[in-house]
Amino acid sequence: MNEEYYRLLGELQAIDFVLVELNLYLDTHPHDTQAIHQYNQYSHQSQELKKKFESRFGPLQNFGNSPMEPGKLWNQPPWPWQV
């Protein structure tokens, strides 16, 4: 794969890490409006980045969670979790 594949995947992993941490924080601080705002902001960034990645390199997930296109199948390596 090319450099962009690894760059986009790295960005996506970083954003999703932030979302996990914010999610855990919000479990114990559900009324923190600043954290909710940050969560929503990063969630939007994650969705946009996933769309961008999938349009160029194929689905990130299977079972109907990502769109499929001819020639871009989820079962073609390298898989995102292998990088």
Side-chain angles (χ1 to χ4, degrees):
M1 285 289 147
N2 64 29
E3 272 185 46
E4 186 179 22
Y5 177 91
Y6 295 105
R7 183 183 60 76
L8 289 175
L9 191 57
E11 286 180 33
L12 185 56
Q13 289 170 335
I15 289 171
D16 285 350
F17 177 80
V18 171
L19 285 169
V20 168
E21 293 298 312
L22 283 168
N23 188 63
L24 292 171
Y25 176 81
L26 286 167
D27 284 346
T28 58
H29 300 81
H31 303 293
D32 186 334
T33 55
Q34 184 179 1
I36 292 168
H37 176 73
Q38 285 179 321
Y39 181 87
N40 289 334
Q41 181 181 5
Y42 281 105
S43 179
H44 178 73
Q45 287 180 5
S46 177
Q47 291 171 12
E48 292 300 312
L49 196 53
K50 284 176 185 174
K51 287 179 192 176
K52 185 176 182 179
F53 182 93
E54 289 178 335
S55 73
R56 295 181 183 170
F57 303 108
L60 285 165
Q61 300 175 339
N62 58 358
F63 302 115
N65 294 312
S66 293
M68 287 251 187
E69 295 179 26
K72 293 183 179 177
L73 302 176
W74 65 268
N75 63 350
Q76 294 177 349
W79 298 304
W81 57 87
Q82 289 181 313
V83 178

